[in-house]
């Protein structure tokens, strides 16, 4: 098949996701409510009791508001990745996913196109949030907004690939909400999104080890450093490796309408 066919497929999937997003405006506001609650309410309360010392990439003492913004940006991408996975389960139940996956295009390409479409939507949400944070007084260097774009793309792909992998195991829409909560909240709270790792280590060495190995922590730090025109090489390698792992596993696990376990006669046959 020609390159034009691949491009037409990618464009069509992105346009479809964009139209779905525009027709479901509550998704846009819901994506902003969670981080804005943390920024406008929790950050104000924690500002006096949770000071943040001078740690990379910051060159001076910062308030909690400024520290927490990259974690909230990653939160938007995490929830959006899981929301897109929820739509995969919905599409599979309605039959539209089966129609897509039996097209002559490679299945891995269709899944990557779906993933890219979701990341494009999440990046748009992130920049709206960053604009609101700027009005709130959180002002990274102007070039940081542009420098953060590759980090946002990479972290969004990794978190979306994780959701894609999870969606291949879940066969009913009602079950996926529980899976989302089981994944989202431990990943978010056991990370450096809300507290620096050195503070976590002071309170619990065990939790520190969990947070240090958490892929979400690496996504947060990748975004944090890029906003301030620096590169965290460790986070970059972690996020790239996890993206390859999650996406590769999702491509192997995905089967039209049935999923990974169907090839083993497991729970999917009973769903």
């Amino acid at each position: 098949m020609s390159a034009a066919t691949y491009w037409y497929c990618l464009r069509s999937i992105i346009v479809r996701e964009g139209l779905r997003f525009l027709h479901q405006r509550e998704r846009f506001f819901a994506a902003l409510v969670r981080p804005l609650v943390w920024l406008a309410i929790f950050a104000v309360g924690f500002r006096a009791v949770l000071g943040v010392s001078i740690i990379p990439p910051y060159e001076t003492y910062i308030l909690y508001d400024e520290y927490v913004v990259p974690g909230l940006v990653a939160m938007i991408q995490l929830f959006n990745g899981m929301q897109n996975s929820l739509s995969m389960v919905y599409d599979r139940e309605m039959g539209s996913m089966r129609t897509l996956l039996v097209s002559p295009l490679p299945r891995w390409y269709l899944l990557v196109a779906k993933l890219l479409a979701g990341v494009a939507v999440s990046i748009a949400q992130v920049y709206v949030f960053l604009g609101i944070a700027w009005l709130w007084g959180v002002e990274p260097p102007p070039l940081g907004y542009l420098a953060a774009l590759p980090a946002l793309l990479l972290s969004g792909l990794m978190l979306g690939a994780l959701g894609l992998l999870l969606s291949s195991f879940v066969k009913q829409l009602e079950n996926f909400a529980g899976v989302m909560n089981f994944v989202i909240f431990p990943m978010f709270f056991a990370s450096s999104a809300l507290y620096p790792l050195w503070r976590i280590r002071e309170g619990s060495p065990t939790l520190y080890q969990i947070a240090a190995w958490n892929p979400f922590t690496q996504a947060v730090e990748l975004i944090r450093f890029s906003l301030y025109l620096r590169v965290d090489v460790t986070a970059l390698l972690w996020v790239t490796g996890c993206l390859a792992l999650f996406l590769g596993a999702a491509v192997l696990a995905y089967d039209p309408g049935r999923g990974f376990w169907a090839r083993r006669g497991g729970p999917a046959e009973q769903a």
Side-chain angles (χ1 to χ4, degrees), residues 60-103:
T60 183
Y61 184 87
I62 60 170
L63 294 176
Y64 184 70
D65 310 55
E66 187 170 357
Y67 175 82
V68 81
V69 162
L72 299 180
V73 166
M75 175 204 279
I76 293 174
Q77 293 198 301
L78 177 62
F79 273 89
N80 189 80
M82 295 300 153
Q83 186 70 35
N84 287 335
S85 301
L86 182 64
S87 73
M88 291 282 284
V89 179
Y90 176 81
D91 287 347
R92 196 164 60 231
E93 282 196 350
M94 296 298 104
S96 56
M97 183 54 60
R98 187 186 301 272
T99 303
L100 179 65
L101 291 179
V102 296
S103 74

mmCIF file of all heavy atoms in Angstrom, residues 60-103:
data_model
loop_
_atom_site.group_PDB
_atom_site.id
_atom_site.type_symbol
_atom_site.label_atom_id
_atom_site.label_comp_id
_atom_site.label_asym_id
_atom_site.label_seq_id
_atom_site.Cartn_x
_atom_site.Cartn_y
_atom_site.Cartn_z
ATOM 1 N N THR A 60 16.349 28.206 42.041
ATOM 2 C CA THR A 60 16.078 28.985 43.234
ATOM 3 C C THR A 60 14.965 28.310 44.016
ATOM 4 O O THR A 60 14.345 27.356 43.546
ATOM 5 C CB THR A 60 15.674 30.425 42.872
ATOM 6 O OG1 THR A 60 15.488 31.190 44.069
ATOM 7 C CG2 THR A 60 14.360 30.443 42.081
ATOM 8 N N TYR A 61 14.706 28.792 45.215
ATOM 9 C CA TYR A 61 13.622 28.253 46.031
ATOM 10 C C TYR A 61 12.290 28.515 45.329
ATOM 11 O O TYR A 61 12.063 29.619 44.822
ATOM 12 C CB TYR A 61 13.644 28.909 47.405
ATOM 13 C CG TYR A 61 12.634 28.353 48.373
ATOM 14 C CD1 TYR A 61 12.935 27.250 49.166
ATOM 15 C CD2 TYR A 61 11.365 28.925 48.497
ATOM 16 C CE1 TYR A 61 12.007 26.735 50.061
ATOM 17 C CE2 TYR A 61 10.429 28.405 49.376
ATOM 18 C CZ TYR A 61 10.763 27.325 50.162
ATOM 19 O OH TYR A 61 9.836 26.803 51.036
ATOM 20 N N ILE A 62 11.429 27.516 45.293
ATOM 21 C CA ILE A 62 10.145 27.660 44.603
ATOM 22 C C ILE A 62 9.002 27.374 45.562
ATOM 23 O O ILE A 62 9.173 26.687 46.568
ATOM 24 C CB ILE A 62 10.046 26.721 43.386
ATOM 25 C CG1 ILE A 62 10.183 25.255 43.823
ATOM 26 C CG2 ILE A 62 11.064 27.085 42.330
ATOM 27 C CD1 ILE A 62 9.850 24.265 42.731
ATOM 28 N N LEU A 63 7.839 27.899 45.224
ATOM 29 C CA LEU A 63 6.632 27.595 45.974
ATOM 30 C C LEU A 63 6.058 26.264 45.490
ATOM 31 O O LEU A 63 6.361 25.789 44.394
ATOM 32 C CB LEU A 63 5.601 28.709 45.803
ATOM 33 C CG LEU A 63 5.976 30.065 46.389
ATOM 34 C CD1 LEU A 63 4.908 31.092 46.049
ATOM 35 C CD2 LEU A 63 6.178 29.984 47.895
ATOM 36 N N TYR A 64 5.181 25.709 46.308
ATOM 37 C CA TYR A 64 4.581 24.420 45.975
ATOM 38 C C TYR A 64 3.772 24.501 44.685
ATOM 39 O O TYR A 64 3.719 23.533 43.923
ATOM 40 C CB TYR A 64 3.691 23.963 47.125
ATOM 41 C CG TYR A 64 3.106 22.580 46.915
ATOM 42 C CD1 TYR A 64 3.907 21.443 46.960
ATOM 43 C CD2 TYR A 64 1.744 22.418 46.661
ATOM 44 C CE1 TYR A 64 3.379 20.186 46.756
ATOM 45 C CE2 TYR A 64 1.204 21.161 46.459
ATOM 46 C CZ TYR A 64 2.023 20.044 46.511
ATOM 47 O OH TYR A 64 1.496 18.807 46.296
ATOM 48 N N ASP A 65 3.157 25.657 44.414
ATOM 49 C CA ASP A 65 2.368 25.823 43.196
ATOM 50 C C ASP A 65 3.198 25.507 41.960
ATOM 51 O O ASP A 65 2.748 24.808 41.047
ATOM 52 C CB ASP A 65 1.840 27.262 43.079
ATOM 53 C CG ASP A 65 1.162 27.750 44.338
ATOM 54 O OD1 ASP A 65 1.806 27.686 45.404
ATOM 55 O OD2 ASP A 65 0.015 28.196 44.252
ATOM 56 N N GLU A 66 4.415 26.050 41.935
ATOM 57 C CA GLU A 66 5.273 25.848 40.767
ATOM 58 C C GLU A 66 5.753 24.409 40.675
ATOM 59 O O GLU A 66 5.861 23.853 39.578
ATOM 60 C CB GLU A 66 6.471 26.798 40.844
ATOM 61 C CG GLU A 66 7.321 26.790 39.595
ATOM 62 C CD GLU A 66 8.358 27.899 39.592
ATOM 63 O OE1 GLU A 66 8.359 28.704 40.545
ATOM 64 O OE2 GLU A 66 9.162 27.946 38.644
ATOM 65 N N TYR A 67 6.020 23.806 41.829
ATOM 66 C CA TYR A 67 6.498 22.420 41.806
ATOM 67 C C TYR A 67 5.436 21.469 41.275
ATOM 68 O O TYR A 67 5.741 20.533 40.532
ATOM 69 C CB TYR A 67 6.911 21.978 43.215
ATOM 70 C CG TYR A 67 7.288 20.517 43.257
ATOM 71 C CD1 TYR A 67 8.557 20.094 42.873
ATOM 72 C CD2 TYR A 67 6.351 19.531 43.607
ATOM 73 C CE1 TYR A 67 8.896 18.752 42.860
ATOM 74 C CE2 TYR A 67 6.687 18.191 43.602
ATOM 75 C CZ TYR A 67 7.953 17.808 43.223
ATOM 76 O OH TYR A 67 8.278 16.479 43.195
ATOM 77 N N VAL A 68 4.181 21.678 41.650
ATOM 78 C CA VAL A 68 3.149 20.685 41.388
ATOM 79 C C VAL A 68 2.624 20.727 39.956
ATOM 80 O O VAL A 68 2.024 19.757 39.487
ATOM 81 C CB VAL A 68 1.986 20.866 42.388
ATOM 82 C CG1 VAL A 68 1.044 21.991 41.957
ATOM 83 C CG2 VAL A 68 1.206 19.576 42.573
ATOM 84 N N VAL A 69 2.856 21.820 39.219
ATOM 85 C CA VAL A 69 2.276 21.960 37.874
ATOM 86 C C VAL A 69 2.701 20.847 36.918
ATOM 87 O O VAL A 69 1.856 20.267 36.224
ATOM 88 C CB VAL A 69 2.585 23.356 37.295
ATOM 89 C CG1 VAL A 69 2.395 23.384 35.772
ATOM 90 C CG2 VAL A 69 1.672 24.388 37.934
ATOM 91 N N PRO A 70 3.996 20.473 36.815
ATOM 92 C CA PRO A 70 4.347 19.364 35.911
ATOM 93 C C PRO A 70 3.651 18.056 36.268
ATOM 94 O O PRO A 70 3.265 17.282 35.377
ATOM 95 C CB PRO A 70 5.872 19.250 36.068
ATOM 96 C CG PRO A 70 6.307 20.597 36.509
ATOM 97 C CD PRO A 70 5.208 21.091 37.399
ATOM 98 N N GLY A 71 3.472 17.795 37.568
ATOM 99 C CA GLY A 71 2.749 16.594 37.971
ATOM 100 C C GLY A 71 1.292 16.642 37.546
ATOM 101 O O GLY A 71 0.709 15.618 37.157
ATOM 102 N N LEU A 72 0.691 17.825 37.599
ATOM 103 C CA LEU A 72 -0.703 17.963 37.175
ATOM 104 C C LEU A 72 -0.830 17.843 35.656
ATOM 105 O O LEU A 72 -1.840 17.354 35.150
ATOM 106 C CB LEU A 72 -1.261 19.299 37.665
ATOM 107 C CG LEU A 72 -1.271 19.485 39.180
ATOM 108 C CD1 LEU A 72 -1.849 20.842 39.556
ATOM 109 C CD2 LEU A 72 -2.060 18.368 39.864
ATOM 110 N N VAL A 73 0.195 18.307 34.944
ATOM 111 C CA VAL A 73 0.216 18.117 33.487
ATOM 112 C C VAL A 73 0.238 16.626 33.152
ATOM 113 O O VAL A 73 -0.514 16.145 32.293
ATOM 114 C CB VAL A 73 1.443 18.829 32.879
ATOM 115 C CG1 VAL A 73 1.689 18.364 31.444
ATOM 116 C CG2 VAL A 73 1.241 20.335 32.909
ATOM 117 N N ALA A 74 1.096 15.882 33.853
ATOM 118 C CA ALA A 74 1.148 14.439 33.632
ATOM 119 C C ALA A 74 -0.159 13.775 34.051
ATOM 120 O O ALA A 74 -0.568 12.770 33.456
ATOM 121 C CB ALA A 74 2.325 13.834 34.387
ATOM 122 N N MET A 75 -0.825 14.317 35.068
ATOM 123 C CA MET A 75 -2.132 13.785 35.482
ATOM 124 C C MET A 75 -3.136 13.889 34.335
ATOM 125 O O MET A 75 -3.898 12.953 34.077
ATOM 126 C CB MET A 75 -2.666 14.546 36.690
ATOM 127 C CG MET A 75 -4.071 14.114 37.094
ATOM 128 S SD MET A 75 -4.986 15.381 37.995
ATOM 129 C CE MET A 75 -4.334 15.166 39.630
ATOM 130 N N ILE A 76 -3.132 15.026 33.648
ATOM 131 C CA ILE A 76 -4.034 15.194 32.505
ATOM 132 C C ILE A 76 -3.771 14.111 31.465
ATOM 133 O O ILE A 76 -4.696 13.498 30.921
ATOM 134 C CB ILE A 76 -3.857 16.599 31.891
ATOM 135 C CG1 ILE A 76 -4.342 17.679 32.865
ATOM 136 C CG2 ILE A 76 -4.613 16.711 30.570
ATOM 137 C CD1 ILE A 76 -4.069 19.092 32.394
ATOM 138 N N GLN A 77 -2.494 13.866 31.198
ATOM 139 C CA GLN A 77 -2.158 12.859 30.190
ATOM 140 C C GLN A 77 -2.511 11.450 30.661
ATOM 141 O O GLN A 77 -2.935 10.615 29.861
ATOM 142 C CB GLN A 77 -0.676 12.954 29.849
ATOM 143 C CG GLN A 77 -0.301 14.242 29.151
ATOM 144 C CD GLN A 77 1.021 14.151 28.446
ATOM 145 O OE1 GLN A 77 2.048 13.874 29.062
ATOM 146 N NE2 GLN A 77 1.018 14.385 27.146
ATOM 147 N N LEU A 78 -2.333 11.191 31.945
ATOM 148 C CA LEU A 78 -2.675 9.866 32.479
ATOM 149 C C LEU A 78 -4.172 9.609 32.366
ATOM 150 O O LEU A 78 -4.594 8.552 31.877
ATOM 151 C CB LEU A 78 -2.223 9.760 33.930
ATOM 152 C CG LEU A 78 -2.578 8.460 34.666
ATOM 153 C CD1 LEU A 78 -1.922 7.262 33.995
ATOM 154 C CD2 LEU A 78 -2.154 8.545 36.134
ATOM 155 N N PHE A 79 -4.989 10.558 32.806
ATOM 156 C CA PHE A 79 -6.436 10.381 32.732
ATOM 157 C C PHE A 79 -6.891 10.316 31.283
ATOM 158 O O PHE A 79 -7.796 9.547 30.946
ATOM 159 C CB PHE A 79 -7.153 11.522 33.464
ATOM 160 C CG PHE A 79 -7.329 11.276 34.928
ATOM 161 C CD1 PHE A 79 -6.356 11.650 35.838
ATOM 162 C CD2 PHE A 79 -8.474 10.658 35.409
ATOM 163 C CE1 PHE A 79 -6.510 11.420 37.190
ATOM 164 C CE2 PHE A 79 -8.643 10.422 36.763
ATOM 165 C CZ PHE A 79 -7.664 10.807 37.661
ATOM 166 N N ASN A 80 -6.278 11.115 30.410
ATOM 167 C CA ASN A 80 -6.675 11.083 29.009
ATOM 168 C C ASN A 80 -6.317 9.750 28.365
ATOM 169 O O ASN A 80 -7.082 9.204 27.561
ATOM 170 C CB ASN A 80 -5.993 12.221 28.245
ATOM 171 C CG ASN A 80 -6.530 12.387 26.845
ATOM 172 O OD1 ASN A 80 -7.582 12.981 26.632
ATOM 173 N ND2 ASN A 80 -5.813 11.865 25.869
ATOM 174 N N GLY A 81 -5.143 9.202 28.737
ATOM 175 C CA GLY A 81 -4.754 7.897 28.203
ATOM 176 C C GLY A 81 -5.731 6.810 28.610
ATOM 177 O O GLY A 81 -6.099 5.944 27.805
ATOM 178 N N MET A 82 -6.171 6.857 29.876
ATOM 179 C CA MET A 82 -7.142 5.868 30.337
ATOM 180 C C MET A 82 -8.514 6.105 29.701
ATOM 181 O O MET A 82 -9.247 5.159 29.395
ATOM 182 C CB MET A 82 -7.251 5.914 31.856
ATOM 183 C CG MET A 82 -5.978 5.503 32.565
ATOM 184 S SD MET A 82 -5.478 3.816 32.146
ATOM 185 C CE MET A 82 -3.709 3.914 32.381
ATOM 186 N N GLN A 83 -8.861 7.379 29.480
ATOM 187 C CA GLN A 83 -10.135 7.686 28.830
ATOM 188 C C GLN A 83 -10.159 7.158 27.398
ATOM 189 O O GLN A 83 -11.162 6.608 26.938
ATOM 190 C CB GLN A 83 -10.358 9.198 28.834
ATOM 191 C CG GLN A 83 -11.712 9.646 28.304
ATOM 192 C CD GLN A 83 -12.849 9.281 29.230
ATOM 193 O OE1 GLN A 83 -12.678 9.295 30.448
ATOM 194 N NE2 GLN A 83 -13.997 8.958 28.672
ATOM 195 N N ASN A 84 -9.050 7.300 26.705
ATOM 196 C CA ASN A 84 -8.971 6.761 25.345
ATOM 197 C C ASN A 84 -9.071 5.245 25.342
ATOM 198 O O ASN A 84 -9.652 4.647 24.433
ATOM 199 C CB ASN A 84 -7.663 7.197 24.683
ATOM 200 C CG ASN A 84 -7.674 8.651 24.294
ATOM 201 O OD1 ASN A 84 -8.729 9.235 24.079
ATOM 202 N ND2 ASN A 84 -6.497 9.252 24.219
ATOM 203 N N SER A 85 -8.498 4.621 26.363
ATOM 204 C CA SER A 85 -8.605 3.165 26.468
ATOM 205 C C SER A 85 -10.046 2.751 26.730
ATOM 206 O O SER A 85 -10.513 1.725 26.226
ATOM 207 C CB SER A 85 -7.700 2.661 27.592
ATOM 208 O OG SER A 85 -6.365 3.025 27.334
ATOM 209 N N LEU A 86 -10.736 3.559 27.521
ATOM 210 C CA LEU A 86 -12.156 3.305 27.758
ATOM 211 C C LEU A 86 -12.936 3.363 26.441
ATOM 212 O O LEU A 86 -13.824 2.542 26.190
ATOM 213 C CB LEU A 86 -12.708 4.321 28.758
ATOM 214 C CG LEU A 86 -14.181 4.189 29.159
ATOM 215 C CD1 LEU A 86 -14.413 2.880 29.898
ATOM 216 C CD2 LEU A 86 -14.590 5.368 30.038
ATOM 217 N N SER A 87 -12.573 4.319 25.589
ATOM 218 C CA SER A 87 -13.253 4.413 24.293
ATOM 219 C C SER A 87 -12.930 3.211 23.417
ATOM 220 O O SER A 87 -13.744 2.796 22.590
ATOM 221 C CB SER A 87 -12.856 5.712 23.583
ATOM 222 O OG SER A 87 -11.529 5.645 23.096
ATOM 223 N N MET A 88 -11.736 2.613 23.595
ATOM 224 C CA MET A 88 -11.401 1.397 22.853
ATOM 225 C C MET A 88 -12.326 0.256 23.254
ATOM 226 O O MET A 88 -12.811 -0.500 22.400
ATOM 227 C CB MET A 88 -9.948 1.009 23.131
ATOM 228 C CG MET A 88 -8.916 1.958 22.548
ATOM 229 S SD MET A 88 -8.666 1.725 20.782
ATOM 230 C CE MET A 88 -7.692 0.234 20.770
ATOM 231 N N VAL A 89 -12.566 0.118 24.552
ATOM 232 C CA VAL A 89 -13.480 -0.925 25.023
ATOM 233 C C VAL A 89 -14.884 -0.672 24.489
ATOM 234 O O VAL A 89 -15.582 -1.591 24.054
ATOM 235 C CB VAL A 89 -13.478 -0.985 26.565
ATOM 236 C CG1 VAL A 89 -14.452 -2.049 27.062
ATOM 237 C CG2 VAL A 89 -12.072 -1.275 27.091
ATOM 238 N N TYR A 90 -15.299 0.599 24.500
ATOM 239 C CA TYR A 90 -16.632 0.958 23.992
ATOM 240 C C TYR A 90 -16.742 0.635 22.496
ATOM 241 O O TYR A 90 -17.729 0.044 22.045
ATOM 242 C CB TYR A 90 -16.888 2.441 24.236
ATOM 243 C CG TYR A 90 -18.195 2.938 23.676
ATOM 244 C CD1 TYR A 90 -19.395 2.745 24.363
ATOM 245 C CD2 TYR A 90 -18.243 3.585 22.444
ATOM 246 C CE1 TYR A 90 -20.599 3.194 23.839
ATOM 247 C CE2 TYR A 90 -19.437 4.034 21.909
ATOM 248 C CZ TYR A 90 -20.618 3.841 22.617
ATOM 249 O OH TYR A 90 -21.803 4.282 22.087
ATOM 250 N N ASP A 91 -15.719 1.040 21.733
ATOM 251 C CA ASP A 91 -15.735 0.767 20.292
ATOM 252 C C ASP A 91 -15.777 -0.727 20.014
ATOM 253 O O ASP A 91 -16.392 -1.183 19.047
ATOM 254 C CB ASP A 91 -14.510 1.383 19.617
ATOM 255 C CG ASP A 91 -14.597 2.900 19.523
ATOM 256 O OD1 ASP A 91 -15.696 3.441 19.748
ATOM 257 O OD2 ASP A 91 -13.560 3.540 19.254
ATOM 258 N N ARG A 92 -15.095 -1.510 20.863
ATOM 259 C CA ARG A 92 -15.084 -2.955 20.669
ATOM 260 C C ARG A 92 -16.466 -3.533 20.943
ATOM 261 O O ARG A 92 -16.928 -4.441 20.250
ATOM 262 C CB ARG A 92 -14.029 -3.599 21.567
ATOM 263 C CG ARG A 92 -13.689 -5.014 21.160
ATOM 264 C CD ARG A 92 -12.401 -5.485 21.788
ATOM 265 N NE ARG A 92 -12.468 -5.461 23.234
ATOM 266 C CZ ARG A 92 -11.557 -4.883 24.021
ATOM 267 N NH1 ARG A 92 -10.522 -4.257 23.486
ATOM 268 N NH2 ARG A 92 -11.668 -4.926 25.328
ATOM 269 N N GLU A 93 -17.141 -3.015 21.972
ATOM 270 C CA GLU A 93 -18.485 -3.504 22.277
ATOM 271 C C GLU A 93 -19.475 -3.134 21.180
ATOM 272 O O GLU A 93 -20.381 -3.891 20.858
ATOM 273 C CB GLU A 93 -18.956 -2.934 23.623
ATOM 274 C CG GLU A 93 -18.357 -3.628 24.836
ATOM 275 C CD GLU A 93 -19.122 -3.312 26.106
ATOM 276 O OE1 GLU A 93 -19.990 -2.417 26.080
ATOM 277 O OE2 GLU A 93 -18.866 -3.970 27.123
ATOM 278 N N MET A 94 -19.292 -1.933 20.600
ATOM 279 C CA MET A 94 -20.216 -1.470 19.573
ATOM 280 C C MET A 94 -19.901 -2.072 18.194
ATOM 281 O O MET A 94 -20.704 -1.961 17.275
ATOM 282 C CB MET A 94 -20.175 0.062 19.472
ATOM 283 C CG MET A 94 -20.652 0.785 20.732
ATOM 284 S SD MET A 94 -22.386 0.434 21.146
ATOM 285 C CE MET A 94 -22.194 -0.715 22.508
ATOM 286 N N GLY A 95 -18.720 -2.652 18.040
ATOM 287 C CA GLY A 95 -18.368 -3.287 16.772
ATOM 288 C C GLY A 95 -17.519 -2.447 15.848
ATOM 289 O O GLY A 95 -16.985 -2.961 14.863
ATOM 290 N N SER A 96 -17.358 -1.144 16.134
ATOM 291 C CA SER A 96 -16.577 -0.292 15.231
ATOM 292 C C SER A 96 -15.094 -0.636 15.266
ATOM 293 O O SER A 96 -14.397 -0.511 14.254
ATOM 294 C CB SER A 96 -16.778 1.186 15.594
ATOM 295 O OG SER A 96 -16.451 1.420 16.951
ATOM 296 N N MET A 97 -14.587 -1.094 16.409
ATOM 297 C CA MET A 97 -13.182 -1.466 16.490
ATOM 298 C C MET A 97 -12.895 -2.706 15.643
ATOM 299 O O MET A 97 -11.855 -2.823 15.011
ATOM 300 C CB MET A 97 -12.789 -1.713 17.946
ATOM 301 C CG MET A 97 -11.322 -2.040 18.148
ATOM 302 S SD MET A 97 -10.209 -0.803 17.432
ATOM 303 C CE MET A 97 -10.716 0.643 18.355
ATOM 304 N N ARG A 98 -13.850 -3.632 15.612
ATOM 305 C CA ARG A 98 -13.675 -4.825 14.782
ATOM 306 C C ARG A 98 -13.552 -4.432 13.304
ATOM 307 O O ARG A 98 -12.724 -4.967 12.575
ATOM 308 C CB ARG A 98 -14.855 -5.781 14.985
ATOM 309 C CG ARG A 98 -14.692 -7.123 14.288
ATOM 310 C CD ARG A 98 -15.976 -7.929 14.420
ATOM 311 N NE ARG A 98 -16.308 -8.134 15.820
ATOM 312 C CZ ARG A 98 -15.871 -9.142 16.541
ATOM 313 N NH1 ARG A 98 -15.065 -10.030 16.000
ATOM 314 N NH2 ARG A 98 -16.218 -9.270 17.800
ATOM 315 N N THR A 99 -14.376 -3.480 12.883
ATOM 316 C CA THR A 99 -14.325 -3.015 11.497
ATOM 317 C C THR A 99 -12.985 -2.386 11.180
ATOM 318 O O THR A 99 -12.414 -2.588 10.101
ATOM 319 C CB THR A 99 -15.454 -1.997 11.247
ATOM 320 O OG1 THR A 99 -16.716 -2.606 11.549
ATOM 321 C CG2 THR A 99 -15.450 -1.523 9.808
ATOM 322 N N LEU A 100 -12.454 -1.620 12.143
ATOM 323 C CA LEU A 100 -11.168 -0.963 11.923
ATOM 324 C C LEU A 100 -10.031 -1.970 11.840
ATOM 325 O O LEU A 100 -9.171 -1.902 10.954
ATOM 326 C CB LEU A 100 -10.913 0.037 13.066
ATOM 327 C CG LEU A 100 -9.590 0.803 13.018
ATOM 328 C CD1 LEU A 100 -9.540 1.725 11.806
ATOM 329 C CD2 LEU A 100 -9.408 1.618 14.301
ATOM 330 N N LEU A 101 -10.009 -2.933 12.749
ATOM 331 C CA LEU A 101 -8.875 -3.846 12.845
ATOM 332 C C LEU A 101 -8.842 -4.899 11.724
ATOM 333 O O LEU A 101 -7.824 -5.553 11.545
ATOM 334 C CB LEU A 101 -8.867 -4.536 14.206
ATOM 335 C CG LEU A 101 -8.550 -3.630 15.406
ATOM 336 C CD1 LEU A 101 -8.609 -4.421 16.698
ATOM 337 C CD2 LEU A 101 -7.194 -2.967 15.255
ATOM 338 N N VAL A 102 -9.948 -5.080 10.994
ATOM 339 C CA VAL A 102 -9.910 -6.032 9.881
ATOM 340 C C VAL A 102 -9.570 -5.342 8.563
ATOM 341 O O VAL A 102 -9.613 -5.968 7.507
ATOM 342 C CB VAL A 102 -11.263 -6.774 9.734
ATOM 343 C CG1 VAL A 102 -11.541 -7.608 10.958
ATOM 344 C CG2 VAL A 102 -12.413 -5.802 9.452
ATOM 345 N N SER A 103 -9.182 -4.068 8.622
ATOM 346 C CA SER A 103 -8.749 -3.378 7.405
ATOM 347 C C SER A 103 -7.410 -3.953 6.959
ATOM 348 O O SER A 103 -6.697 -4.587 7.739
ATOM 349 C CB SER A 103 -8.620 -1.874 7.681
ATOM 350 O OG SER A 103 -7.474 -1.619 8.456
#
